[in-house]
Amino acid sequence: MAGNTFGQVFRVTTWGESHGTAIGATIDGCPPGIPLSPEDIQADMDRRRPGTGGAASPRKEPDKVEILSGVFEGYTTGTPLTLIIYNKDAHSKSYSHLKDIFRPGHGDFSYLMKYGIRDHRGGGRASARETAARVAAGAVARKLLAFHEIDVLAYTLSLGGIDAEKLELSDIQENRLFCPDNEAAARMEERIEEVKKQGDSLGGIVGIIADRCPAGLGEPVFNKLDADLAGALMSIGAVKGVEIGAGFAAARMTGSENNDELTPQGFRSNNSGGILAGISNGDPIMARVAVKPIPSIAKPQQTVNMENEPVEIKIGGRHDISAIPRIIPVCEAMVCLTLADHLLRQRAQGWIDEFEEADEEDEHGE
Amino acid sequence: MAGNTFGQVFRVTTWGESHGTAIGATIDGCPPGIPLSPEDIQADMDRRRPGTGGAASPRKEPDKVEILSGVFEGYTTGTPLTLIIYNKDAHSKSYSHLKDIFRPGHGDFSYLMKYGIRDHRGGGRASARETAARVAAGAVARKLLAFHEIDVLAYTLSLGGIDAEKLELSDIQENRLFCPDNEAAARMEERIEEVKKQGDSLGGIVGIIADRCPAGLGEPVFNKLDADLAGALMSIGAVKGVEIGAGFAAARMTGSENNDELTPQGFRSNNSGGILAGISNGDPIMARVAVKPIPSIAKPQQTVNMENEPVEIKIGGRHDISAIPRIIPVCEAMVCLTLADHLLRQRAQGWIDEFEEADEEDEHGE
Amino acid sequence: MAGNTFGQVFRVTTWGESHGTAIGATIDGCPPGIPLSPEDIQADMDRRRPGTGGAASPRKEPDKVEILSGVFEGYTTGTPLTLIIYNKDAHSKSYSHLKDIFRPGHGDFSYLMKYGIRDHRGGGRASARETAARVAAGAVARKLLAFHEIDVLAYTLSLGGIDAEKLELSDIQENRLFCPDNEAAARMEERIEEVKKQGDSLGGIVGIIADRCPAGLGEPVFNKLDADLAGALMSIGAVKGVEIGAGFAAARMTGSENNDELTPQGFRSNNSGGILAGISNGDPIMARVAVKPIPSIAKPQQTVNMENEPVEIKIGGRHDISAIPRIIPVCEAMVCLTLADHLLRQRAQGWIDEFEEADEEDEHGE
Amino acid sequence: MAGNTFGQVFRVTTWGESHGTAIGATIDGCPPGIPLSPEDIQADMDRRRPGTGGAASPRKEPDKVEILSGVFEGYTTGTPLTLIIYNKDAHSKSYSHLKDIFRPGHGDFSYLMKYGIRDHRGGGRASARETAARVAAGAVARKLLAFHEIDVLAYTLSLGGIDAEKLELSDIQENRLFCPDNEAAARMEERIEEVKKQGDSLGGIVGIIADRCPAGLGEPVFNKLDADLAGALMSIGAVKGVEIGAGFAAARMTGSENNDELTPQGFRSNNSGGILAGISNGDPIMARVAVKPIPSIAKPQQTVNMENEPVEIKIGGRHDISAIPRIIPVCEAMVCLTLADHLLRQRAQGWIDEFEEADEEDEHGE
C-alpha cells in the first residue's frame, strides 16, 4: 500500500526511478505566502550532488530543480508544489549485466519478493537518487522553518571507525566531510582513500541538531516528535540506527545521571535531546544516525541469480565509498520535513485561548 | 493534531489517562473471522502488569480487559474492536503535591508548553499506563500474525550496565527479567536491589526478534518496514534509541563485512536484520531499543515550579526501578502492530497475477 | 479497510453494535481548553433518542453519555476524548428469527458478502443506533464551532411527499418534526399516522444551514468543503442524495440565472450554498439530503434466506415510520464534524503573514 | 491542510495550475504488474479535451500524457506513477484584465479569502483544467478495474432543461453529447446554439453506471461506498448535487415502494443503486450528478473588484457553454478512482478464510 508520502499536514510524495525520465516531489499542504524560487532549493541539492565530498563517485549530475506548480509571482499559493529533477547522466546499460543477479546489501531480492517485478537499472526506486527529491522538498520545509528561526544542521560524527573528538560547528563548513573536527576529517579522508584501493566501502555516524525549535511540538502518543524523527531518519535507505539525545548511552545510566534537572535558567543538561514525553521542550533537538557502508563494492562477493544459482559478483561503475557526506543534506531534509509538519500540526491544535485571540484578529484583519 | 492512532490498515487508537475512568484501544481495520476472546489478550496484559519482574513496583492492578465491540460469537466481525481497561487502583491524591512542579525527565513541562493544561495525576496521558492499551491491541495483532505463523519475542539484552552474554531463547522464560542469559539475569537482579537502596533507577536494552516474517513486507520509501518499526518503538515513552540488524555497529564496518551474501540456501548472515531496502527479506527481523532509566526517583533532584522558582523534589510512591521488564510486552506489541499493518497493506497491493488467481477463486468461492 | 474514522485533524472514530455492550466515539485531535461536560452532549442526544417525534418507535433508551477520557477539571486537555453510551434496552432475542434471512433494504446481504460474518442482532454495526455516537461527537464539535459563533441547524423540508412551503426558522422548535412550517408539519403527522396503519414507512428531505461560517474553509481539490459535506451526509445510512445550494435545480438554470452576483454589500443570491470552488464564501452554507423510507416494515415482503430460498418476511417490533425527525441531529452532527475539521485544517495552513504575527505573539506570550 | 490527494490505498495526488508549466497526477499505491502505456490513458483524455462535443470551446490542447515514473518495460512496478500534461495553449494575457475582479460563480473571491493570494490566470488551480489530471489517473484505475471486468460509463441525462427520455446505451457513442437518447441529444444541441447566441450557459445532469462491481465493496461507517462516491463526485468543480439509486425520488416513496425485494434470481429492483448499508450488493451501481451552468458568460454581470467597488463584467474568450459533455469522462474517472481504491481496501481486509487459502498458495508459489 502507498508508502511514498511523508507528513500529515505538510505532505510530501516523492516519485521516480534512478534511470527513468525524472524524479520529483509533490508537496501538498505547504502554506501560501512563502517566498520560493528554484535557487532556494538548489543550495541543498548541490550539497547532495554526486562528486561532492571525498567519498563521492565522479557521476556528474547537475540535479537542477524546476518548480512545475504551486508558485505564483515568487510566492507559494497554498496549492501543491511539484518539484522535478530530470535524469540526465543515466548509464542504464552499465546495469544490464546485473538484471538477473541479486546484489548483496541491496533491495534487489526483497523488491522482487514484494512486487514480482523490478526496475533493475541503478536500483530503480531503491536508488539513493530518490533522496534528491527529499532534499528538494526539505528545502521548502526549511523555508517554512525559517519563519520560526529554526535551524537544522547535520554533520559527520564518525566515518570508517574514526570519530570526531570535538563538536566545533565552525569546522563543519571547512572540510569536505562536514565534520565538526577538522583533524578527524583529515584522518577520515585518509581512511577513504585506503578503503577505495581495497575495493571496499565505509559506514559512519551522522549527528543532527535542530536549534531554536519551540517547545510544544510533537503529538502524543504515536506521533511523538522523537517517534516521527526516528521513522523519518530510518526511512533513509542506508540508515540502520537512530538515537535521540543520550540514546543508547542512556541505557547504561541511572535515573539521577540521565534526568535533565530544571533551573530557573532552563534545563541543566540535554540528555533528552530536547524532547520530553514526545514533545519538544525548547532545548536543541539532538539526534544521531548509524549509516551502513555502501553495499556496492568492487571486491568479489558471493550471491545468487534469479535461478538461485551461486554466482560471484564484483560491482564496478561509479559508486561512492561512503554514503557520508552526501547523506548529510538528506538527514537535514528529513528533520526539516518532520519539524515543518509538526509546526503546522501544532498550529491546527493550539490551546483554545489562542482561538479567541485569533478571532479578534480576524475581526480587525479581514 | 491527532496523534493517537497507529497504522494505516490495521489502525489502533489508544485513549485514556492514568487516573481517569478507564484506558482503552479502538482497532479499526481488523479483518473479520479471527477467533478472539478476552483471555487471548489477558496473557500479554499479565506480563506488563505492575508487580511483575524484579524491577517492578508493588502497585496492584488486575488490568482486566473487556471487549466492548467488534466480536460476535467469538469471532471478529470486521467492525471496530474496542478494548477497555478500567482504572481501579489509582491513588490520585498521592500526586497532588506534584501538580505545580515539573518532574525532571517527565513530560510535565513539555505537556504544559504544548497544551496549556495538563492532567497531573500520575502523568495523565503521558503515563506508562497508556501502554497497557497498546499491549491489549498488540495481542489482537498477534492473533492475526498467528495465521502466518509469525512469532514476535522481546527480551532483556542489558540492564543497569550488565549485558546478556548469550542469546539462549529458552532462558527467557526462566527468569523474571526475560533475559536470554540466566546468569546475567541474576546479576541484573542484584544491581536492581543495590540501586533501589540508593533511591535511583536503571536503564537497559531490549532485543526483539520477529520470526517467520514473510519476504515482501514494507512500503518504500517512507513507510519502509524498518522506518515504521523505528517510529513504532520510539513512540514508547522510555525509548531513546532504535537499531535494526547490526545497527550502530554497521557504522564501523566495511561493506564487505556488513553485506549479507546470498547462497542457494539463503542469506549467509543477517546484518540487515531481515530488512533490505525497507522490505522484509524472509530472514528473522532483529531490532534493539535503548530504554532510559525511570525518571521518578527517590533521590533529591533540582527542578522548578510553575512560577519558575527552584525547588527540590524527591519522588516517593510506588515506582519501578527500571522500565524493564514491563516494557518487554510493550515492545512486542508495537512490533506486532507494525507487522499486522504491513501484512494487510501488502495484501492490498500484491502482484497482479494474484489478482487473476483471486478472481478465479471468487468465481468458484461465491 | 478501516472506515470508521471521520476527519483529518478533528478525527472521530465510532464503534459499537446495536446490541453489544456499548457504543461510543473516540475523538483524537480536539484542541485543549474547551469547557466540556456530559450535559453539553446530552441535549443533542435527547433530540436523537427513540420516542422523540411523531415518527418514532417507543423503544426506551436514556442514551446517557459518559466521558471516559480527555477532560480534566471541566476542560478538554488535547488528549483523546472517549464518549460511551451503554446499551440498555436491547431485545436481542426479538431478532433471532431474522438471523438467516436478508431483510430487504437493509445491509444484511451486503454485510455478509463483505465480511463473511455478521452480527444480525438489530442490524449490528449497520443499525441507526451507530448514529448516537456521531451525535455525541458532533456535540463536541459544536462546542468548538461556538468559539467562532458558527451555528448549525437542520430541519424537515419534506416528509411522505408533503413539503414545507415556507422556511420559518421559529417554527422549527414548535413542532415535533422540526419542520419550518407548522401547518405542513401537522399534515406530515397525519400522513405518518395513515402509513403506520398500513404497516409501511416514509422518506423525506432534510435541509441544513450553517450560519456565520467564515470564508476560507475547504481544501481544494478533493477535500472541497462541499465534497466533504456530501461524503459526510451520504455516510448516514438512510441518505440517498445530497444537494448543495441550488443543487439539482442548478442543472436546469442558465449561467446568468445561477451565478451569484457580487455587490459591495455581499452576494446578491446564494445559489452556491455558501461554497465557491469548494471554499466557503462567508454566506450561509445550505444543503439538502434525501432520506429513504425506513426499510423495516410490517407489510409482507419477498426475500430469500441464506440458502437462497424465497421467503416472505414481515418485520414487527419497534420501528420508526420515518428516519425523520431523529435523523435531524445526526445531519447536524455530520455538518458540525465537517466544519470543525475544516476550521482546524485552515488553522494549520493560514496565510504566512499570520505566521509572522503569531511569532510576535509567541515572543511576548511565552 | 493538504486536500489534493484522493483515496486511501490507491492514492492520487493531482497538481498544477491552468496556466502554469504543467499539470499532473501522482499515483501512489497502484499494484505492480498492470500493463500500462500512454496510449491506454490517451483515449479518456481525448474525450475530455476542449473542442470535443457541441458545448465545447475551440481551445486547442492536445493534452498528451507522459508517464514519468512507475512503469518498466510496459508494466507498473508498484512504485509511484507520475503522469504529466504540459500546458501548451495557455493565453495568460487574456486573463490579466480579470486579475482584480471577482468573477461571479468562480472561486476568485473564496480563494483569496482562504489563501490571501491567488493565481488568477485562467482560474489557476480552480480551473476545470485540473480535471485533466483526474482523467489521466482515472484511466489507470480503469485498467485495474478491468481485471475484475468492472465497467464504468457516464452519460448525459439532461442538458439545458431537456431530458433524455430513454436510456439506450448504444446511443451514447452516436452523439457528441454522450446522451443515451439520440433525439434528445439533437434537441440539446439546438438549445446550446440558442444559448450561445445569448452569451449564456447551461447546466445539466450526468448519469453514471458501474457494471459488474462485485458485492462487498465499501467500508462502514464513514467510508461507505456511496459516501465516498458522493464525496468524489461532489469534488468536481461544477457538481452541486449527487444521487445514488433512486436518490431524491426515494424521499417521496414508502418503504414498500423503495425496498428492493430479493429473489433467488437476485434483487427485483435497484432503487438502492447497487449499494446497501454502504456496501455494494453486486447490482449495477447507479449515480446521478447535477452540473451547474458554466459561470463564465459573455452576458454582462454585476460584481466587485478587490477594492469592493461595483463593476460590470463580460467574460469573453474561449469558454464552453456547458460542462457537459466534457465533464463525462471526469465523472467516470472519479468513479473509477473510488472503485479501484475500494477494491484494494477490500483486498486488504477480506474474510480470514481467504488468509488460510492465501497461505497455502504462498507455500507453493514462492
Side-chain angles (χ1 to χ4, degrees):
Chain A
M1 185 190 140
N4 295 275
T5 296
F6 183 84
Q8 299 290 318
V9 177
F10 191 94
R11 292 176 71 81
V12 177
T13 303
T14 69
W15 46 269
E17 281 78 40
S18 177
H19 290 64
T21 307
I23 60 168
T26 300
I27 305 174
D28 191 11
C30 182
I34 300 177
L36 185 70
S37 70
E39 291 69 39
D40 291 321
I41 300 170
Q42 203 59 44
D44 281 345
M45 298 304 294
D46 290 346
R47 283 198 296 148
R48 199 212 70 94
R49 203 177 54 197
T52 307
S57 77
R59 176 173 172 179
K60 289 280 174 290
E61 283 178 294
D63 276 356
K64 197 164 164 345
V65 178
E66 293 175 43
I67 303 174
L68 294 180
S69 64
V71 171
F72 181 59
E73 298 181 345
Y75 287 86
T76 60
T77 60
T79 60
L81 287 155
T82 288
L83 313 174
I84 192 167
I85 306 150
Y86 289 95
N87 290 325
K88 296 254 163 90
D89 184 34
H91 294 191
S92 299
K93 288 213 179 116
S94 63
Y95 291 94
S96 61
H97 65 291
L98 294 173
K99 82 186 165 90
D100 296 323
I101 296 176
F102 301 120
R103 292 168 299 162
H106 278 282
D108 301 349
F109 176 78
S110 54
Y111 263 66
L112 192 66
M113 287 297 102
K114 180 176 191 67
Y115 296 117
I117 187 175
R118 72 184 171 97
D119 179 347
H120 65 269
R121 300 164 306 164
R125 182 77 182 138
S127 167
R129 179 142 186 77
E130 180 267 334
T131 61
R134 302 189 189 203
V135 171
V140 180
R142 201 189 285 274
K143 294 280 290 188
L144 179 58
L145 299 182
F147 278 89
H148 289 264
E149 303 191 351
I150 302 170
D151 198 31
V152 174
L153 183 71
Y155 38 81
T156 302
L157 281 177
S158 181
L159 199 159
I162 295 156
D163 296 334
E165 282 161 19
K166 56 180 185 174
L167 185 54
E168 194 67 64
L169 297 188
S170 62
D171 281 17
I172 291 173
Q173 305 310 328
E174 292 176 6
N175 61 75
R176 294 195 304 174
L177 296 171
F178 303 106
C179 178
D181 175 345
N182 283 333
E183 287 166 43
R187 282 181 290 131
M188 290 171 186
E189 294 267 20
E190 285 168 29
R191 180 83 178 111
I192 288 168
E193 286 308 311
E194 185 182 298
V195 165
K196 187 184 274 181
K197 285 178 199 141
Q198 296 162 358
D200 215 332
S201 65
L202 292 172
I205 298 173
V206 169
I208 309 156
I209 185 167
D211 231 352
R212 286 184 296 280
C213 181
L217 303 195
E219 297 296 334
V221 293
F222 295 115
N223 293 148
K224 287 187 169 87
L225 189 57
D226 37 0
D228 280 3
L229 284 170
L233 290 165
M234 196 72 96
S235 80
I236 303 171
V239 172
K240 297 301 286 182
V242 179
E243 296 179 306
I244 304 293
F248 277 86
R252 301 186 183 282
M253 293 183 190
T254 60
S256 59
E257 288 164 351
N258 182 61
N259 281 352
D260 301 314
E261 291 185 315
L262 288 93
T263 73
Q265 292 74 42
F267 290 94
R268 193 166 276 167
S269 51
N270 191 9
N271 287 319
S272 75
I275 302 174
L276 276 169
I279 302 171
S280 63
N281 66 8
D283 264 15
I285 291 169
M286 310 286 292
R288 269 179 310 283
V289 302
V291 179
K292 75 172 188 179
I294 294 276
S296 293
I297 55 175
K299 267 195 177 172
Q301 300 179 86
Q302 295 306 311
T303 189
V304 296
N305 62 18
M306 286 180 68
E307 278 71 44
N308 202 29
E309 298 160 340
V311 290
E312 190 181 87
I313 185 174
K314 295 182 194 181
I315 302 175
R318 306 159 303 179
H319 295 288
D320 296 345
I321 299 306
S322 174
I324 294 173
R326 288 180 58 202
I327 205 173
I328 281 175
V330 183
C331 293
E332 291 179 9
M334 292 313 300
V335 172
C336 287
L337 291 173
T338 306
L339 295 180
D341 191 41
H342 274 282
L343 258 181
L344 298 185
R345 291 173 78 165
Q346 178 63 1
R347 268 168 67 90
Q349 210 152 28
W351 169 241
I352 203 70
D353 275 359
E354 297 178 32
F355 269 87
E356 296 174 279
E357 287 170 37
D359 281 353
E360 284 164 33
E361 272 178 68
D362 284 352
E363 280 162 34
H364 304 304
E366 279 180 26
Chain B
M1 186 190 140
N4 295 275
T5 297
F6 183 84
Q8 298 291 316
V9 177
F10 191 93
R11 291 175 71 80
V12 177
T13 303
T14 68
W15 46 269
E17 280 79 40
S18 177
H19 290 64
T21 307
I23 61 168
T26 300
I27 305 174
D28 190 12
C30 183
I34 301 176
L36 185 71
S37 71
E39 291 69 39
D40 291 322
I41 300 169
Q42 202 61 42
D44 280 345
M45 298 304 295
D46 289 346
R47 284 199 294 146
R48 198 212 70 94
R49 203 177 53 198
T52 308
S57 78
R59 177 174 171 176
K60 289 281 174 288
E61 282 178 296
D63 276 357
K64 197 165 165 345
V65 178
E66 294 175 43
I67 302 175
L68 294 180
S69 63
V71 172
F72 181 59
E73 298 182 345
Y75 287 86
T76 60
T77 60
T79 60
L81 289 154
T82 288
L83 313 174
I84 192 168
I85 306 148
Y86 288 96
N87 291 324
K88 297 253 164 90
D89 184 34
H91 295 188
S92 299
K93 288 212 180 117
S94 63
Y95 291 95
S96 62
H97 66 291
L98 295 173
K99 82 184 165 89
D100 296 323
I101 295 177
F102 301 120
R103 292 168 300 162
H106 279 281
D108 301 349
F109 177 77
S110 54
Y111 262 65
L112 192 66
M113 287 297 103
K114 180 175 191 68
Y115 296 116
I117 187 176
R118 72 186 171 95
D119 179 348
H120 65 270
R121 301 165 304 164
R125 181 79 183 136
S127 167
R129 179 142 186 77
E130 179 269 333
T131 62
R134 303 189 189 203
V135 171
V140 179
R142 201 189 286 274
K143 295 279 289 186
L144 178 58
L145 299 182
F147 279 90
H148 290 264
E149 302 189 354
I150 301 169
D151 199 30
V152 175
L153 182 71
Y155 37 81
T156 301
L157 282 177
S158 180
L159 199 159
I162 294 157
D163 297 334
E165 281 162 19
K166 55 180 185 173
L167 185 53
E168 194 67 64
L169 297 188
S170 62
D171 281 16
I172 292 173
Q173 306 308 329
E174 292 175 6
N175 61 76
R176 293 194 304 173
L177 295 172
F178 304 106
C179 178
D181 175 345
N182 284 332
E183 287 166 45
R187 283 181 287 129
M188 290 172 186
E189 295 266 20
E190 286 168 30
R191 180 86 178 107
I192 288 168
E193 287 308 312
E194 183 182 300
V195 165
K196 187 184 275 183
K197 285 176 202 145
Q198 296 162 359
D200 216 332
S201 64
L202 293 171
I205 297 173
V206 170
I208 310 155
I209 185 167
D211 231 352
R212 288 184 294 281
C213 181
L217 303 194
E219 298 295 335
V221 295
F222 295 113
N223 293 147
K224 288 188 168 87
L225 188 57
D226 38 0
D228 280 3
L229 284 169
L233 290 165
M234 195 71 97
S235 80
I236 304 171
V239 173
K240 297 301 284 184
V242 180
E243 295 180 305
I244 304 294
F248 277 87
R252 299 186 184 282
M253 294 181 188
T254 61
S256 59
E257 289 164 349
N258 182 61
N259 281 352
D260 301 315
E261 291 185 314
L262 288 93
T263 74
Q265 292 74 43
F267 290 94
R268 192 165 276 168
S269 51
N270 191 10
N271 286 319
S272 74
I275 302 174
L276 277 169
I279 302 171
S280 62
N281 66 8
D283 264 16
I285 290 169
M286 309 286 291
R288 267 180 311 284
V289 302
V291 178
K292 75 172 189 180
I294 293 277
S296 292
I297 56 175
K299 266 194 180 174
Q301 300 178 83
Q302 295 305 311
T303 189
V304 296
N305 60 20
M306 286 181 67
E307 278 71 44
N308 203 29
E309 298 160 341
V311 289
E312 191 181 87
I313 185 173
K314 294 181 196 182
I315 302 175
R318 307 159 304 179
H319 295 288
D320 296 345
I321 300 305
S322 174
I324 295 173
R326 288 180 60 201
I327 205 172
I328 280 175
V330 183
C331 293
E332 291 179 9
M334 292 314 300
V335 171
C336 287
L337 291 173
T338 306
L339 295 180
D341 190 42
H342 275 283
L343 257 181
L344 298 185
R345 291 174 77 164
Q346 177 63 0
R347 268 169 67 90
Q349 207 153 30
W351 167 240
I352 202 69
D353 276 359
E354 297 177 33
F355 269 88
E356 294 175 280
E357 287 170 37
D359 280 353
E360 285 163 32
E361 273 177 69
D362 283 351
E363 281 162 33
H364 304 305
E366 282 181 23
Chain C
M1 185 191 141
N4 296 275
T5 297
F6 183 84
Q8 298 290 317
V9 177
F10 191 94
R11 292 176 69 81
V12 177
T13 303
T14 69
W15 46 269
E17 280 78 40
S18 177
H19 290 65
T21 307
I23 60 169
T26 301
I27 304 174
D28 191 12
C30 182
I34 300 177
L36 186 71
S37 72
E39 291 69 38
D40 290 321
I41 299 170
Q42 203 59 43
D44 281 344
M45 297 305 293
D46 289 347
R47 283 199 294 147
R48 198 211 71 94
R49 203 176 55 197
T52 307
S57 79
R59 176 171 171 178
K60 287 280 174 292
E61 283 180 295
D63 277 356
K64 197 166 165 342
V65 178
E66 292 175 43
I67 302 175
L68 294 180
S69 64
V71 171
F72 183 58
E73 298 182 345
Y75 288 85
T76 61
T77 61
T79 60
L81 289 155
T82 288
L83 313 174
I84 192 169
I85 306 149
Y86 289 95
N87 290 324
K88 298 251 163 94
D89 183 34
H91 295 189
S92 300
K93 289 215 177 114
S94 63
Y95 291 94
S96 62
H97 65 291
L98 294 174
K99 82 184 165 89
D100 297 323
I101 296 177
F102 301 121
R103 293 168 299 163
H106 279 282
D108 300 349
F109 176 77
S110 53
Y111 262 65
L112 192 67
M113 288 296 103
K114 179 176 192 67
Y115 295 117
I117 187 176
R118 73 186 170 93
D119 180 347
H120 64 269
R121 302 164 304 165
R125 181 79 183 138
S127 166
R129 179 142 185 78
E130 180 267 333
T131 61
R134 304 189 187 202
V135 171
V140 180
R142 201 189 287 273
K143 293 281 288 189
L144 179 57
L145 299 182
F147 279 90
H148 289 265
E149 303 190 351
I150 301 170
D151 199 30
V152 174
L153 182 72
Y155 37 81
T156 301
L157 282 177
S158 181
L159 200 159
I162 295 156
D163 297 334
E165 280 161 18
K166 55 179 184 174
L167 185 55
E168 194 68 64
L169 297 188
S170 62
D171 281 17
I172 292 173
Q173 307 309 329
E174 292 176 5
N175 60 77
R176 293 195 304 172
L177 296 171
F178 303 107
C179 177
D181 175 346
N182 283 333
E183 287 166 42
R187 282 182 288 131
M188 291 171 187
E189 295 266 19
E190 287 168 28
R191 179 83 178 111
I192 288 168
E193 287 308 311
E194 183 183 299
V195 165
K196 185 184 276 182
K197 285 177 200 144
Q198 297 162 359
D200 215 333
S201 65
L202 293 172
I205 297 173
V206 169
I208 309 155
I209 184 168
D211 230 352
R212 288 184 296 279
C213 181
L217 302 194
E219 297 296 334
V221 295
F222 294 114
N223 293 148
K224 288 188 168 86
L225 189 57
D226 36 0
D228 281 3
L229 284 170
L233 291 165
M234 195 72 96
S235 80
I236 304 171
V239 173
K240 298 299 284 182
V242 180
E243 297 180 304
I244 305 293
F248 277 87
R252 300 185 184 283
M253 294 183 189
T254 62
S256 59
E257 288 164 350
N258 182 61
N259 282 350
D260 300 315
E261 291 186 314
L262 288 93
T263 74
Q265 291 75 42
F267 291 94
R268 192 166 275 166
S269 50
N270 190 11
N271 286 318
S272 74
I275 302 174
L276 275 169
I279 303 171
S280 62
N281 67 9
D283 263 15
I285 290 170
M286 310 286 291
R288 267 180 311 282
V289 302
V291 178
K292 76 172 188 178
I294 294 277
S296 292
I297 56 175
K299 266 195 179 173
Q301 301 179 84
Q302 296 305 312
T303 189
V304 296
N305 61 19
M306 285 181 67
E307 279 69 47
N308 203 29
E309 298 160 341
V311 290
E312 190 181 87
I313 186 174
K314 294 182 195 180
I315 302 175
R318 306 159 302 178
H319 295 288
D320 295 345
I321 300 306
S322 174
I324 295 173
R326 289 180 59 202
I327 205 171
I328 281 175
V330 183
C331 293
E332 291 179 9
M334 293 312 300
V335 171
C336 286
L337 291 172
T338 306
L339 294 180
D341 190 42
H342 274 283
L343 257 181
L344 298 185
R345 291 173 78 164
Q346 177 65 359
R347 268 170 67 91
Q349 210 153 26
W351 167 242
I352 203 67
D353 275 359
E354 297 177 33
F355 268 87
E356 297 175 278
E357 286 170 37
D359 280 353
E360 284 163 34
E361 272 177 71
D362 283 350
E363 280 161 34
H364 304 303
E366 281 181 24
Chain D
M1 186 190 140
N4 296 274
T5 297
F6 182 85
Q8 298 290 317
V9 177
F10 191 94
R11 292 176 70 81
V12 177
T13 303
T14 68
W15 47 268
E17 281 77 40
S18 176
H19 290 65
T21 306
I23 60 169
T26 300
I27 304 174
D28 191 12
C30 183
I34 301 177
L36 186 70
S37 71
E39 291 70 38
D40 290 322
I41 300 170
Q42 202 61 43
D44 280 345
M45 297 304 294
D46 290 346
R47 283 199 295 147
R48 200 212 69 95
R49 203 176 54 197
T52 308
S57 78
R59 177 173 171 178
K60 288 279 176 290
E61 283 179 295
D63 276 356
K64 196 165 165 344
V65 178
E66 293 174 45
I67 303 175
L68 294 180
S69 64
V71 172
F72 181 58
E73 298 181 347
Y75 287 86
T76 59
T77 61
T79 59
L81 289 154
T82 289
L83 313 174
I84 192 169
I85 306 150
Y86 288 95
N87 290 324
K88 298 254 162 89
D89 184 34
H91 295 189
S92 299
K93 287 211 180 118
S94 63
Y95 291 93
S96 62
H97 66 290
L98 295 174
K99 84 184 163 89
D100 297 323
I101 295 177
F102 301 120
R103 292 168 299 162
H106 279 281
D108 301 349
F109 176 77
S110 54
Y111 262 66
L112 191 67
M113 287 298 102
K114 179 175 191 66
Y115 295 116
I117 187 175
R118 72 184 171 97
D119 180 347
H120 64 269
R121 300 165 304 164
R125 182 78 183 139
S127 167
R129 179 143 185 77
E130 180 268 333
T131 62
R134 303 189 187 202
V135 170
V140 179
R142 201 189 286 273
K143 295 280 289 188
L144 179 58
L145 299 182
F147 278 89
H148 289 265
E149 303 191 353
I150 301 169
D151 198 32
V152 174
L153 181 72
Y155 37 81
T156 301
L157 282 176
S158 181
L159 201 159
I162 295 157
D163 296 334
E165 282 161 17
K166 55 179 185 175
L167 186 54
E168 194 67 67
L169 297 187
S170 62
D171 281 16
I172 291 173
Q173 306 309 330
E174 291 175 7
N175 60 74
R176 294 195 304 175
L177 296 172
F178 304 107
C179 178
D181 176 346
N182 284 333
E183 286 167 45
R187 282 181 288 129
M188 291 172 185
E189 294 267 19
E190 286 168 29
R191 179 84 178 109
I192 288 167
E193 287 309 311
E194 184 182 299
V195 164
K196 187 184 274 182
K197 283 177 201 145
Q198 297 162 359
D200 215 332
S201 64
L202 293 171
I205 298 173
V206 170
I208 310 157
I209 185 167
D211 232 352
R212 289 183 294 281
C213 182
L217 303 193
E219 298 296 334
V221 294
F222 295 114
N223 294 147
K224 288 187 168 87
L225 188 57
D226 38 359
D228 281 3
L229 284 169
L233 290 165
M234 195 71 96
S235 80
I236 305 171
V239 173
K240 298 300 285 183
V242 180
E243 295 179 305
I244 304 293
F248 276 86
R252 301 186 182 282
M253 293 183 189
T254 62
S256 58
E257 290 163 349
N258 182 61
N259 281 352
D260 301 315
E261 291 185 314
L262 288 93
T263 74
Q265 292 74 42
F267 290 94
R268 192 165 276 165
S269 51
N270 191 10
N271 286 319
S272 75
I275 302 174
L276 276 170
I279 303 172
S280 63
N281 66 9
D283 264 15
I285 290 169
M286 310 286 291
R288 271 181 308 285
V289 301
V291 178
K292 75 172 189 178
I294 294 277
S296 293
I297 55 175
K299 265 194 178 175
Q301 299 178 85
Q302 295 304 312
T303 189
V304 296
N305 61 19
M306 287 181 66
E307 278 71 44
N308 203 29
E309 298 160 339
V311 289
E312 189 181 89
I313 186 174
K314 295 181 194 180
I315 302 175
R318 307 159 303 179
H319 295 288
D320 296 345
I321 299 306
S322 174
I324 295 174
R326 289 180 58 201
I327 205 171
I328 281 175
V330 182
C331 292
E332 291 179 8
M334 292 314 299
V335 171
C336 287
L337 291 173
T338 305
L339 294 180
D341 190 41
H342 275 282
L343 257 181
L344 299 185
R345 291 174 77 164
Q346 177 63 0
R347 268 170 66 91
Q349 209 153 29
W351 168 242
I352 202 71
D353 276 358
E354 297 178 32
F355 268 89
E356 295 174 279
E357 288 171 36
D359 279 353
E360 285 163 32
E361 273 177 69
D362 283 351
E363 280 161 34
H364 304 304
E366 280 181 22

